[in-house]
């Protein structure tokens, strides 16, 4: 007889929603989304992203919750339980690797957000020359020591929350931090829109120009959608394993997806109109929010307060997401390797620390740490979003659509028949055919293997 394992878990339905939405809403929405929109021509990218979120990502999110809650295990054991002695556990192994790769650059950016909170508190209340801000950003990210110290502090915050457990750490802090985040982003979006008097920014965001769209744009939008919803690598399988049995998985998934889309839209509204109002190009790449915002704030009434607010917002969003990445690795060490939470977190911290040091130094001191022609930082970013997550999502759909017993999937989605689910057949059809084929086609065309 197998011993019953008592696992930590979420205590309430609201807790599930804020923790999962906390994982989804992060640097992906507030830092990555605005510059991706800026680099990929604005509203056409935005529309494709929203379409992919609803049509392709929602089914994958539901599928991850189904796997997690059914198996009640970490990301590798979940596949061992549901498909014993099969190669499907490769999805879990790939998920662990993806968590490490993402954390390798995510903690570096998390560190920048903390550095900018410090900078904004001590910033001078005068307007400085335009290139001052780009110079400050470049000197921060290329310096050998400074970003590492901030990154270490960011990892320490994660260690504090994750070691406290699922209910007392992740759920408790998400419940406090997520509502604060929402209020802050709304304030900033309103401020930015009121600056954009000739509506150039709003037009850039909402008037689609499909002439610039290519296969690469579709893959970038898909990667962005997967990254932003935290799917394709098992974070939501791990969170799914903590969801109480009476939570409605479909409603929770729709709630998480809508919150995530709302935050991306609000981030777009907070960044793009402000960028246009000050006559700056939106195609600035990863430095966009770090270079543009301090400059914009320096020219704005109440800019000092808003700047501190903005970078605090970014740091909070980063933290509620990175804890879910750490949790994937910690849950595996706790469930499968029987380590205590604290020891597990210490082991993960060491590995993530090393990866972050390499990624950070690849931006300055050691530019020759590169892979496939990209410095390690950019490689971690694009390899995870454009390759690991879409492929992970594809196999997760195939697993739930083809390998899991339909009766088990239905049982999980209807809470053992206690809730009605009229569109189950349709959902299964989408998971078996539509989502995997669409992901495969977008992936192949983005990689340049297929011309459409
Ligand atoms: N969704 C997070 C963001 O938008 O910043 C990033 C992320 C977290 C990706 C967790 C993947 C993940 F498993």
């Amino acid at each position: 007889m197998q011993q019953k394992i008592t696992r930590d878990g979420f205590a309430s339905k609201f807790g599930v929603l804020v923790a999962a939405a906390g994982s989804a809403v992060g640097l992906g929405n507030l830092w990555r989304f605005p510059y991706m929109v800026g680099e990929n021509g604005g509203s056409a990218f935005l529309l494709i992203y929203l379409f992919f979120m609803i049509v392709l990502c929602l089914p994958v999110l539901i599928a991850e919750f189904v796997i997690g809650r059914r198996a009640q295990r970490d990301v590798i054991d979940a596949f061992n339980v549901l498909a014993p002695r099969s190669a499907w556990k490769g999805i879990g192994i790939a998920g662990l690797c993806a968590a490490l790769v993402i954390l390798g650059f995510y903690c570096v950016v998390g560190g920048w957000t903390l550095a900018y909170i410090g900078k904004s508190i001590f910033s001078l209340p005068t307007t400085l020359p335009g290139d001052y801000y780009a110079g400050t950003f470049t000197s921060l990210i290329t310096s050998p020591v400074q970003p590492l110290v901030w990154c270490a502090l960011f990892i320490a915050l994660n260690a504090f929350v994750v070691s406290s457990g699922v209910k007392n750490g992740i759920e408790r802090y998400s419940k406090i931090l997520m509502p604060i985040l929402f209020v802050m982003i709304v304030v900033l979006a309103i401020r930015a829109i009121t600056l954009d008097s000739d509506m150039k920014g709003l037009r850039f965001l909402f008037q689609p120009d499909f002439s610039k769209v290519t296969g690469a744009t579709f893959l970038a939008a898909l990667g962005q959608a997967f990254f932003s919803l935290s799917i394709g690598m098992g974070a939501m399988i791990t969170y799914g394993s903590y969801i109480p049995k009476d939570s409605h998985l479909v409603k929770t998934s729709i709630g998480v997806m809508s919150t995530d889309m709302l935050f991306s839209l609000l981030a777009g509204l907070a960044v793009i109109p402000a960028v246009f109002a000050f006559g700056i190009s939106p195609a600035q790449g990863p430095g966009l929010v770090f270079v543009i915002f301090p400059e914009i704030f320096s020219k704005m009434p109440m800019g000092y307060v808003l700047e501190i607010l903005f970078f605090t917002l970014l740091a909070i969003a980063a933290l509620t997401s990175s804890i879910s990445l750490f949790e994937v690795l910690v849950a595996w060490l706790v469930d499968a390797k029987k380590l205590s939470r604290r020891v597990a977190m210490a082991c993960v911290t060491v590995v993530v620390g090393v990866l972050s040091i390499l990624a950070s130094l690849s931006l300055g001191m050691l530019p020759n740490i590169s892979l496939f022609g990209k410095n390690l930082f950019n490689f971690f970013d694009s390899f995870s979003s454009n390759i690991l997550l879409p492929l992970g999502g594809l196999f997760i759909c195939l697993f739930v659509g083809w390998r899991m017993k339909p009766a088990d999937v239905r049982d999980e989605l209807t809470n053992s028949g206690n809730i009605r689910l009229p569109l189950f057949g349709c959902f299964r059809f989408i998971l078996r055919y539509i989502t995997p084929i669409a992901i495969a086609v977008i992936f192949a065309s983005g990689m340049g293997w297929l011309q459409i």
Side-chain angles (χ1 to χ4, degrees), residues 23-24 26-29 102 106 227-230 233 235 321 324-325:
S23 164
L27 293 173
N29 308 64
I102 298 175
Y106 209 87
F227 184 80
S228 144
L229 204 52
S230 305
M233 40 101 15
S321 296
S324 71
L325 288 158

Side-chain angles (χ1 to χ4, degrees), residues 269-343:
L269 285 173
V271 176
I272 303 289
V275 163
F276 275 90
F278 288 97
I280 299 158
S281 156
Q284 300 271 335
L288 183 67
V289 297
F290 292 98
V291 176
I292 302 297
F293 267 80
E295 180 170 2
I296 292 171
F297 289 133
S298 74
K299 294 179 186 151
M300 251 161 72
M302 300 253 301
Y304 178 74
V305 178
L306 287 176
E307 184 174 353
I308 300 173
L309 191 73
F310 177 74
F311 287 111
T312 310
L313 170 85
L314 216 52
I316 293 175
L319 184 67
T320 55
S321 296
S322 52
I323 53 179
S324 71
L325 288 158
F326 275 104
E327 183 60 25
V328 173
L329 298 150
V330 168
W332 170 65
L333 290 174
V334 170
D335 277 3
K337 303 290 163 205
K338 307 286 175 258
L339 298 186
S340 75
R341 234 169 204 283
R342 275 164 201 273
V343 174

Side-chain angles (χ1 to χ4, degrees), residues 21-93:
S23 164
V25 176
L27 293 173
N29 308 64
L30 305 175
W31 161 72
R32 202 172 187 277
F33 179 75
Y35 83 75
M36 292 296 284
V37 173
E39 278 182 340
N40 289 288
S43 55
F45 178 88
L46 177 77
L47 283 181
I48 299 170
Y49 160 84
L50 293 177
F51 179 74
F52 285 170
M53 281 290 259
I54 297 167
V55 176
L56 302 181
C57 296
L58 181 63
V60 180
L61 178 60
I62 299 174
E64 289 205 24
F65 281 159
V66 166
I67 297 174
R69 196 172 67 172
R70 187 81 193 161
Q72 300 277 298
R73 293 293 157 83
D74 65 274
V75 68
I76 294 188
D77 272 342
F79 292 95
N80 281 336
V81 167
L82 299 175
R85 287 177 298 283
S86 71
W88 289 104
K89 74 164 181 243
I91 303 176
I93 298 171

Side-chain angles (χ1 to χ4, degrees), residues 32 56 79 136 169 249 258 265 268-269 271 345 387 441 446:
R32 202 172 187 277
L56 302 181
F79 292 95
T136 321
L249 292 188
S258 319
L265 278 176
L269 285 173
V271 176
M345 187 63 203
I387 296 181
V441 169

